[in-house]
Amino acid sequence: MNINSEAQETILIVDDTPDNISLLNHILEQHQYRVLVAENGETALRRLEIVRPDIILMDVMMPGMSGIETTMRIKQNPEWASIPVIFLSALDDIESKLSGFESGGVDFITKPLVTKEVEARIRTHLEIARLQAKLQERIQEKDALIGQLERFAHTVAHDIRNPIAGILGAMETFRTLSAELTDSDRDELINIVVLSANQCEATIKSLLADAEERLLEGRKAN
């Protein structure tokens, strides 16, 4: 989705009435939106195969495929499902609006269209889309961080397991065979413990330094 600036935002108008298209086109071009037009649902779906708009203004009553059916088709496609669809309709009864929301629409603008209302609703839903996109980015960043932490924990467990096993083995030998050990044996076991402990300490320092470096990189990226 284009979310960098208003001038880059694309709006697809799906309407079979020339007067509505002309009015909407005038409103949108004043705000420097890029405007695409489809006269029916089938054409709208073909447009989406080529360009992904930031928002869709969908007429409800159209010949052939209705706006409700067109929206349902759009929402079934994972690549288009997140595009906000605002319905345009002369129908203002609850049943019609519920049908629109159930099909995946985010809002309803009743005809005849009022310029300020159209502007406000488009602006609101574009801002919501921006916030949702940012939230999704944050979620992906958190998921990536969790993945890094899981890999870090696995590395810690793997790199420390062997020296700890050496320490435990040496101490178990000392405990069970203490009376039979010579001074040379004891010195060897002590050396194993010291070397293994030093290896643990070095591994921990290396892992902590790596974690700190990754944390700094993450902060710079944000």
Side-chain angles (χ1 to χ4, degrees), residues 107-127:
D107 207 345
F108 234 92
I109 302 178
T110 303
K111 296 178 181 179
L113 302 176
V114 178
T115 298
K116 289 186 177 181
E117 180 184 11
V118 173
E119 293 172 351
R121 290 180 185 268
I122 289 174
R123 188 166 57 249
T124 296
H125 287 289
L126 286 174
E127 181 61 24

Side-chain angles (χ1 to χ4, degrees), residues 16-218:
D16 65 319
T17 305
D19 287 345
N20 289 337
I21 294 174
S22 178
L23 174 59
L24 289 169
N25 194 64
H26 176 71
I27 294 172
L28 299 176
E29 287 187 343
Q30 283 186 325
H31 292 272
Q32 298 183 325
Y33 294 117
R34 180 187 178 194
V35 180
L36 302 176
V37 175
E39 293 79 14
N40 52 59
E42 290 83 357
T43 303
L45 296 177
R46 289 197 294 272
R47 291 273 193 277
L48 292 175
E49 295 285 355
I50 301 171
V51 180
R52 182 182 174 185
D54 295 280
I55 204 164
I56 300 173
L57 302 180
M58 180 76 69
D59 186 21
V60 174
M61 304 297 292
M62 294 185 293
M65 189 184 303
S66 70
I68 300 294
E69 184 181 353
T70 303
T71 300
M72 292 175 66
R73 292 274 296 275
I74 290 171
K75 297 302 177 178
Q76 288 170 357
N77 188 320
E79 295 183 4
W80 307 337
S82 63
I83 303 174
V85 176
I86 299 177
F87 285 110
L88 311 173
S89 179
L91 303 174
D92 62 354
D93 58 283
I94 295 299
E95 289 76 12
S96 297
K97 291 183 178 181
L98 287 177
S99 295
F101 289 128
E102 288 171 358
S103 70
V106 298
D107 207 345
F108 234 92
I109 302 178
T110 303
K111 296 178 181 179
L113 302 176
V114 178
T115 298
K116 289 186 177 181
E117 180 184 11
V118 173
E119 293 172 351
R121 290 180 185 268
I122 289 174
R123 188 166 57 249
T124 296
H125 287 289
L126 286 174
E127 181 61 24
I128 290 172
R130 292 188 195 100
L131 294 174
Q132 289 176 333
K134 290 180 181 179
L135 176 60
Q136 187 60 36
E137 289 177 3
R138 294 297 184 213
I139 291 173
Q140 292 174 350
E141 290 172 1
K142 297 300 182 185
D143 288 344
L145 179 59
I146 290 172
Q148 290 179 359
L149 290 173
E150 290 175 345
R151 290 190 292 274
F152 178 76
H154 177 76
T155 300
V156 170
H158 179 270
D159 291 350
I160 293 181
R161 184 181 292 115
N162 288 338
I164 288 179
I167 294 173
L168 293 175
M171 296 307 297
E172 180 63 18
T173 299
F174 189 85
R175 185 180 70 82
T176 57
L177 300 175
S178 178
E180 303 173 16
L181 296 175
T182 65
D183 290 343
S184 178
D185 292 333
R186 290 188 177 89
D187 289 341
E188 183 177 352
L189 290 173
I190 291 172
N191 286 334
I192 291 174
V193 172
V194 172
L195 289 173
S196 296
N198 288 336
Q199 186 178 349
C200 282
E201 183 181 17
T203 299
I204 291 171
K205 286 182 178 179
S206 175
L207 292 171
L208 289 176
D210 181 64
E212 184 176 356
E213 182 179 350
R214 289 176 182 272
L215 181 60
L216 290 174
E217 290 176 354

